[in-house]
């Protein structure tokens, strides 16, 4: 018994030393991981920071790396605010209209289309879903010509009345993006996690399929729907190429495409463009700040589904 005590103490000291070494090793591993993440974050954030400080400088070379602005002036933001360079507030209004109509219509259509593909049984259901999913391999640019011909055949761009012409051009921006394969996939995956027993109980009580979709499926899949709505808001807010192609009246351009009007053939007000870019980023940051919880939860639910 007396000889066993030192042995027990030795084992205890050895275990304590191993535990301390393991903690130090984990601490250094965490330090290295955070260092790498900080470097990556700085590399990703620097372009935004460079845009901000360049938009605050009144003069100077914009094509040089910098940490701090050489001088600070709000001249570019004041010009944007007053609309002396471009109709800034009209561009904001255009973006808000396009985002509101686009997000509501796209999310509603995706949520409706995902329900039968997830919870109804009919011949060819899986074939239809995987056929739609296969279209994701096509780049968005591949559909530009087809979309242009389609909206042109619908006479959305040729109305004589000014109001109808405006509504037609707004619709021409939104319509090609309403059928979202990404949204269909995300929401369908979320629907798959809903127990069939809830749906069967609702059908026994006499609820219609539309009632089941509205009262059961939508509330339970709300995080995924919110996540998709955030993605669509960012996509419509940043709409540039398609808007630039399809919009014929410059005063109807969204903000991202309208900022290009600051660039001329012989001169470019680059600092004003950067000031507009900074302003254009603010709504996206606000949406992500308030919807981050739903965004992460929605994507997790879609992946688990």
């Amino acid at each position: 018994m007396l000889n066993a005590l030192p042995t027990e103490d030795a084992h205890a000291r050895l275990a304590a030393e191993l535990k301390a070494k393991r903690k130090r090793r984990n601490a250094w591993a965490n330090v290295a991981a955070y260092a790498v993440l900080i470097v990556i974050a700085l590399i990703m954030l620097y372009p935004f920071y460079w845009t901000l400080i360049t938009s605050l400088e009144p003069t100077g070379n914009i094509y040089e790396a910098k940490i701090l602005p050489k001088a600070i002036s709000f001249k570019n933001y004041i010009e944007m605010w007053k609309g002396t360079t471009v109709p800034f507030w009209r561009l904001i209004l255009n973006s808000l209209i396009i985002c509101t109509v686009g997000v509501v219509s796209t999310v509603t259509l995706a949520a409706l289309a995902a329900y039968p593909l997830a919870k109804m049984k009919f011949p060819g259901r899986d074939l239809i879903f995987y056929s739609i999913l296969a279209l994701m391999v096509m780049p968005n640019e591949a559909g530009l010509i087809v979309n242009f011909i389609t909206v042109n055949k619908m006479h959305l761009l040729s109305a004589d009345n000014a109001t109808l012409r405006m509504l037609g051009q707004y619709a021409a921006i939104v319509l090609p993006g309403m059928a979202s394969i990404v949204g269909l996939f995300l929401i369908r995956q979320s629907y798959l996690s809903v127990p069939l027993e809830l749906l069967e109980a609702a059908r026994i009580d006499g609820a219609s399929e539309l009632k089941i979709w509205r009262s059961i499926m939508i509330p339970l899949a709300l995080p995924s729907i919110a996540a998709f709505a955030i993605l669509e808001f960012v996509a419509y807010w940043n709409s540039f190429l398609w808007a630039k192609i399809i919009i014929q009246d410059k005063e109807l351009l969204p903000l991202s495409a309208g900022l290009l009007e600051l660039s001329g053939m012989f001169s470019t007000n680059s600092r004003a463009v950067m000031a507009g870019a900074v302003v254009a980023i603010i709504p996206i940051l606000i949406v992500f700040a308030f919807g981050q919880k739903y965004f992460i939860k929605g994507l997790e639910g879609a992946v688990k589904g």
Side-chain angles (χ1 to χ4, degrees), residues 85-87 91 244 250 253 256-264 267 273:
T85 51
V86 292
L91 300 180
K244 197 64 182 175
K250 293 183 178 180
L253 287 169
S256 297
L259 292 176
L260 190 64
E261 298 302 314
L262 293 169
S263 301
S267 64
V273 173

Side-chain angles (χ1 to χ4, degrees), residues 68-83:
L68 295 173
K70 297 179 180 179
I72 295 179
S73 173
F74 293 96
K75 174 186 175 183
N76 299 312
Y77 289 93
I78 293 173
E79 289 181 358
M80 293 293 297
W81 186 273
K82 291 181 178 179

Side-chain angles (χ1 to χ4, degrees), residues 9-258:
D9 291 341
H11 283 307
R13 286 196 300 269
L14 181 60
E17 290 177 0
L18 291 175
K19 186 176 181 180
K21 289 181 179 179
R22 192 159 43 244
K23 284 185 176 180
R24 287 196 296 269
R25 188 164 54 249
N26 292 336
W28 282 111
N30 290 334
V31 169
Y34 278 111
V36 172
L37 292 175
I38 290 172
V39 171
I40 294 174
L42 291 176
I43 293 173
M44 296 181 65
L45 290 175
Y46 181 75
F48 299 100
Y49 176 72
W50 176 83
T51 301
L52 174 62
I53 61 177
T54 303
S55 67
L56 291 173
E57 289 182 337
T59 58
N61 183 12
I62 66 172
Y63 300 107
E64 64 178 0
K66 62 193 79 173
I67 302 299
L68 295 173
K70 297 179 180 179
I72 295 179
S73 173
F74 293 96
K75 174 186 175 183
N76 299 312
Y77 289 93
I78 293 173
E79 289 181 358
M80 293 293 297
W81 186 273
K82 291 181 178 179
T84 56
T85 51
V86 292
F88 180 70
W89 293 109
R90 180 55 192 263
L91 300 180
I92 290 286
L93 178 62
N94 295 336
S95 292
L96 290 175
I97 293 173
I98 293 169
C99 283
T100 302
V101 176
V103 170
V104 171
S105 58
T106 305
V107 172
T108 302
L109 185 61
L112 279 169
Y115 177 55
L117 292 174
K119 292 300 182 182
M120 292 184 180
K121 295 182 179 180
F122 54 88
R125 183 191 68 174
D126 293 338
L127 178 62
I128 293 173
F129 173 69
Y130 289 115
S131 298
I132 296 173
L133 207 62
L135 296 175
M136 291 183 66
V137 301
M138 296 180 59
N140 293 330
E141 291 77 8
L144 290 178
I145 297 177
V146 175
N147 291 335
F148 183 85
I149 294 174
T150 301
V151 297
N152 195 35
K153 291 291 185 181
M154 294 174 68
H155 303 289
L156 296 176
L157 308 176
S158 58
D160 296 329
N161 183 276
T163 302
L164 292 178
R165 182 182 175 87
M166 177 184 67
L167 295 176
Q169 293 185 65
Y170 283 149
I173 295 181
V174 173
L175 282 176
M178 284 179 60
S180 174
I181 302 174
V182 175
L184 179 66
F185 174 76
L186 287 177
I187 299 176
R188 177 185 177 274
Q189 293 302 107
S190 183
Y191 283 171
L192 290 175
S193 63
V194 178
L196 286 173
E197 290 78 5
L198 290 177
L199 278 64
E200 295 298 334
R203 292 189 181 108
I204 293 174
D205 291 338
S208 64
E209 296 297 332
L210 190 61
K211 174 75 173 177
I212 294 172
W213 171 77
R214 187 176 62 251
S215 302
I216 298 177
M217 304 301 292
I218 293 297
L220 293 178
L222 194 57
S224 293
I225 294 174
F228 175 56
I230 294 173
L231 291 175
E232 284 300 298
F233 173 82
V234 175
Y236 278 111
W237 185 264
N238 290 331
S239 58
F240 174 78
L241 180 60
W242 176 244
K244 197 64 182 175
I245 292 173
I246 207 69
I247 296 295
Q248 301 174 356
D249 300 329
K250 293 183 178 180
E251 66 272 11
L252 298 179
L253 287 169
L255 181 59
S256 297

